[in-house]
Amino acid sequence: MDEIILYANNNVVMRREDLIHPFISGNKYRKLKYNLQKAKALNKNTLLTFGGAYSNHIAATAYAGKSYGFNTIGIIRGEELKDKVESNPTLKFAKSCGMQFKFVTREAYRSKLENDFIENLKLEFGDFYLVPEGGTNQLAVKGCEEILNIDDEGFDFICCCVGTGGTISGLINASKSHQKILGFPALKGDFIREDIRKFAKKENWDLITDYHFGGYGKIKPELITFINDFKRKYNIPLDPVYTGKMMYGIFDLIEKQFFPKDSKILAIHTGGLQGIDGMNIKLKQKGWSQIE
């Protein structure tokens, strides 16, 4: 993947996982890789997964299904979205890739891991290969372990954004003992630690929980300004839900001298750029500046 030095005096390097694929980019490619192989091995012809209105995972799964010969079904959080598919960039794209939708209430969506919920889906749709929300399972973590390579041993800190915990778990497992893995959650709260511990095999990690900007899918004007300034300076687009928040956090921590002098930092760009269009719709409604 392409890499670019961002902060020469602090040795910050960005790994552009977003350039892996135009539609199955970044960590979504990594998470789906071995799940698609297993689905093929099990002779499954349908993928079923879960996501919200602007889910990177929904978009990536829909395109992967189209590309590799799977039918796809998306269980979408929010019944009110049923009549808004054509005005929602993510869902419209997924539909164009052939994904079939089932819209459920937020209350019902919270039951997505329960056996009764899954069994009812099987009665409705028939046999399918289940890909968890965000794509995170043991096979996804295996894929994310491949983000790092032998040439990365010189980095002291490896930073990534955190959604469902699969990407950081892979990075932790692939890291060396002298390295510290820092995760920047897009969600409010610290509950994701327990999910990470289910997959992570080492203890050389921590979460930086001060840069969620109000929670998942939330944004503030200073983040928009940062993302746009970043793109002008480095010619790298950042998504506003994940990588934008992480990079804001890294730069802020550098200013606060959080990192020891001469630390070498690797920041992982996990993609998610398809979400910019959806976020700009929200920003326009608020009368705020758009993300370039």
Side-chain angles (χ1 to χ4, degrees), residues 49-53 55 57-58 74-79 102-114 117 131-134 164:
T49 196
F50 307 87
S55 167
H57 173 65
I58 287 290
I75 310 304
I76 308 300
R77 182 180 63 247
E79 279 189 317
K102 178 180 175 64
F103 297 90
V104 300
T105 64
R106 281 163 171 74
E107 181 180 4
Y109 191 85
R110 285 192 283 272
S111 303
K112 62 185 176 293
L113 298 178
E114 297 178 7
F117 189 85
V131 182
E133 182 181 36
T164 53

Side-chain angles (χ1 to χ4, degrees), residues 185 187-197 205-209 212:
L187 295 87
K188 206 171 183 177
D190 214 16
F191 59 90
I192 196 66
R193 286 183 187 272
E194 294 307 312
D195 291 329
I196 295 169
R197 288 193 178 102
W205 61 278
D206 201 0
L207 297 181
I208 307 295
T209 59
H212 52 69

